[in-house]
């Protein structure tokens, strides 16, 4: 592969990630408009070893290195389905690619477009011999519009921008660094002294056409990024063209500059360097200097332009700073674009409902080592002084990144950010180890007032699902479920079974809807006690209205049970049974004195149940042995013989409820 192809591919990935734009799933597709320089890798490295490569088909050489295949290789390797065009107009290629990408967006050929160029010769750094009268600088410096300008220098570069229709970008909450107001492309034809020479008339026409398309006049332009080769002929003709364009709009504060003074002439990538420089100047509201500038060229009219030797603020209201960028190619194809800084409407303020909440930060990479490097960089980025809003970072990581095999995720909140790069955050290879996600739904005993307040305020999917579930429960209970779940100061009613069970069901249902909206597709669903009904609803066994009725009726039935208590005991089942047997002797089923084993939740986690006084006596016995048992916030002895009298009535209720076979738990409920 030509190193230019590889560098361009890497740059496209970086640009799309910077834009928060996944490579797949775009309805109108992502277009690619790409330019490459001469393939010196072929001439310097492959052809000299052609005999050793005879077993490789010629088409492989072409597809991996010829400029015709730069755009289509990018589309193929990244799965981009919009138009894919290689653009070759010599030095103006990059800006012509931007023009074509913008036209494709406006015509609806794609919804996102990548435009860029690369020029990287393998002989870079070998130097050159200066020839008097040639285009190369006599001292290795490029001095655009300076009296001492004597020629240009060449460099290597690669650059890519991501373009999108402004309305779509604002609607999607994208970062908008600048707006492309308009662009134009033309050719000099034969109206110049030679094929390689610049053309005055062509430059005048293309700049005027771009301003007309953009709906601006010369008086609106406060900064102009010129082609600026630093050659005697090139600068003289470009300044003459600018004099004609800006003849009726003199402004001694208007800035003229050329990035070639910093990085040299980048051939096909030259216009991209000028474009990116100008976008960054707009974004940071800073006018930038031109390197190696001492005194103005005789052709520079200082009533119309000035060249800066130091940076200075770019004043003006947001959405009013306007700049032009030129790029002129050998052979006569000229390009000019008009840029403006993003208006206030495109600068999205943080959402106060979500900015302070907990966020999930997922990462992925192709190797564990790459994942560690990515985690370390992100760890620094989210904790630094210029850190983005955590909610914005989480959204981009969740929706604007291509998923790779090795993955890691942490939860974080402002001021409570979990370290992404901690040794304990082990990577997991997708499809390995875990085998999928299971959703487990708890039963009564875990609720507190206001438990749903935070996700209800911050997560639209959770809020909509909770509202839907509370509406389904409304005909079957008059309990103040909404107040209990959303108000942390509400009176605690979770000890009342007829209230606690429908409240827990509503939260569990809303959590399921929220997680599936985030893309979590469970491979298994399981529940404990009332959580079984939530799992059945999530799997499609019961509809939401039927499940809500079952839960509410179940809670009302169980509230009729005698008073009882339950105790969480951190002991294995055998030890707890032995303690009960030895402490209570042969008392059989005397419920007023003997507790019962209600549940075995783990190898060393059990629950005992019985009359309140009996359970309290068991807690005291455990405390004497140094075992800290925890009473559950319930009023009845669930999972005991106290419930036997309710079984027939509840069985009849379930039998009368329509039920379906469980659906695929990998589908959203």
């Amino acid at each position: 592969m030509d190193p230019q192809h590889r560098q361009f591919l890497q740059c496209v990935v970086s640009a799309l990630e910077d834009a928060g734009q996944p490579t797949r799933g775009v309805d109108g597709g992502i277009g690619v408009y790409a330019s490459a320089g001469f393939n010196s890798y072929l001439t310097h490295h492959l052809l000299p070893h052609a005999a050793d490569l005879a077993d490789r088909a010629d088409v492989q050489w072409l597809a991996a290195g010829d400029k015709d295949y730069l755009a289509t290789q990018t589309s193929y390797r990244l799965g981009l389905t919009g138009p894919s065009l290689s653009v070759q107009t010599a030095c103006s290629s990059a800006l012509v690619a931007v023009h074509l990408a913008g036209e494709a967006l406006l015509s609806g050929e794609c919804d996102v477009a990548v435009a860029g160029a690369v020029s990287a010769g393998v002989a870079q750094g070998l130097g050159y011999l200066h020839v008097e009268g040639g285009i190369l600088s006599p001292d290795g410096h490029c001095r655009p519009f300076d009296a001492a300008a004597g020629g240009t220098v060449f460099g290597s570069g690669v650059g890519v921008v991501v373009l999108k229709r402004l309305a779509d970008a604002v609607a999607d909450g994208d970062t908008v660094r600048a707006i492309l107001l308009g662009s134009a492309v033309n050719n000099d034809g034969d109206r110049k002294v030679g094929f390689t020479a610049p053309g005055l008339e062509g430059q005048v026409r293309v700049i005027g056409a771009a301003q007309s398309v953009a709906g601006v006049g010369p008086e609106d332009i406060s900064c102009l990024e010129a082609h600026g080769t630093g050659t005697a002929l090139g600068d003289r003709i470009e300044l003459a063209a600018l004099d004609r364009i800006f003849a009726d709009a003199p402004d001694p504060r208007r800035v003229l500059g050329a990035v070639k003074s910093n990085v040299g002439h980048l051939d096909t990538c030259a216009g991209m360097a000028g474009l990116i420089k100008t976008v960054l100047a707009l974004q940071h509201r800073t006018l930038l200097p031109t390197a190696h500038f001492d005194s103005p060229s005789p052709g520079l009219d200082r009533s119309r332009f000035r060249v800066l030797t130091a940076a200075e603020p770019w004043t003006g209201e947001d959405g009013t700073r306007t700049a032009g960028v030129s790029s002129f190619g050998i052979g006569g194809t000229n390009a000019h674009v008009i840029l403006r800084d993003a208006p206030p409407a495109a600068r999205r303020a943080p959402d106060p409902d979500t900015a302070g909440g907990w966020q999930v930060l997922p990462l992925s990479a192709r190797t564990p080592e790459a994942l560690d490097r990515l985690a370390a960089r992100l760890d620094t980025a989210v904790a630094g002084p210029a850190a983005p809003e955590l909610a914005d970072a989480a959204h981009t990581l969740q929706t604007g990144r291509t998923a790779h095999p090795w993955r890691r995720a942490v939860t974080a909140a402002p001021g409570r950010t979990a370290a992404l790069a901690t040794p304990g955050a082990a990577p997991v290879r997708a499809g390995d180890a875990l085998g999928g996600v299971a959703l487990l739904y708890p039963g009564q005993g875990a609720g507190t007032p206001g438990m749903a307040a935070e996700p209800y305020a911050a997560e639209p999917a959770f809020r909509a699902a909770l509202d839907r579930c509370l509406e389904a429960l409304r005909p079957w209970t008059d309990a103040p479920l909404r107040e209990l779940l959303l108000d942390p100061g509400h009176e605690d009613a979770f000890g009342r079974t007829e209230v606690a069970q429908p409240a827990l069901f509503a939260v569990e249902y809303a959590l399921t809807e929220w997680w599936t909206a985030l893309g979590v597709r469970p491979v298994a669903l399981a529940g404990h006690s009332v959580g079984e009904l939530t799992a059945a609803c999530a799997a499609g066994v019961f509809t939401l209205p039927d499940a809500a009725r079952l839960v509410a009726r179940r809670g009302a039935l169980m509230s009729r049970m005698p008073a009882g208590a339950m105790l969480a005991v951190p002991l294995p089942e055998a030890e707890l049974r032995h303690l009960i047997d030895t402490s209570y002797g042969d008392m059989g089923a005397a419920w007023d004195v003997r507790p019962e084993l209600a549940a075995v939740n783990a190898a060393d986690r059990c629950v005992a149940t019985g009359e309140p006084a009996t359970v309290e006596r068991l807690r005291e016995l455990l405390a004497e042995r140094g075992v800290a048992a925890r009473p559950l916030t319930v009023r009845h002895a669930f999972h005991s013989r106290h419930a036997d009298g309710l079984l027939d009535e509840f069985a009849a209720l379930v039998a009368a409820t329509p039920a379906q076979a469980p659906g695929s738990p990998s589908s959203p409920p």
Side-chain angles (χ1 to χ4, degrees), residues 528 566-567 576 596-601 606-610 637-640:
H528 168 71
M566 303 184 77
L567 190 69
L576 180 58
E596 183 180 357
L597 185 66
V600 179
N601 293 328
C606 296
V607 178
T609 187
F638 300 130
H639 308 288
S640 72

Side-chain angles (χ1 to χ4, degrees), residues 605-619:
R605 294 289 188 273
C606 296
V607 178
T609 187
E611 299 283 349
T614 300
V615 172
E616 175 60 21
R617 175 57 182 156
L618 177 61
R619 189 189 66 78

Side-chain angles (χ1 to χ4, degrees), residues 128 130 134-144 149-155 227-232 235 260-261 263-266:
Y128 60 87
H130 172 67
I135 66 169
L136 294 174
S137 168
D139 62 359
H141 292 307
C142 181
R143 308 175 189 274
T152 195
V153 295
F154 284 95
H227 188 60
T229 60
T231 61
D235 281 8
K260 289 182 180 66
S261 65
V263 299
H265 195 320
L266 304 187

Side-chain angles (χ1 to χ4, degrees), residues 6-78:
R6 174 178 55 79
Q7 291 170 343
F8 186 80
L9 275 166
Q10 292 172 330
C11 198
V12 169
V13 171
S14 294
L16 288 170
E17 289 197 343
D18 178 80
Q21 179 62 61
T23 58
R24 302 176 191 276
V26 179
D27 291 340
I30 299 178
V32 180
Y33 298 81
S35 308
F38 176 70
N39 185 2
S40 56
Y41 180 73
L42 175 67
T43 58
H44 285 68
H45 285 274
L46 293 184
L47 292 181
H49 300 281
D52 300 328
L53 300 173
D55 60 331
R56 303 269 202 304
D58 289 346
V59 70
Q60 290 179 284
W61 295 27
L62 290 172
D66 190 79
K67 59 183 64 177
D68 280 1
Y69 303 104
L70 177 62
T72 49
Q73 277 276 17
T74 302
S75 296
Y76 171 73
R77 291 178 180 270
L78 300 182

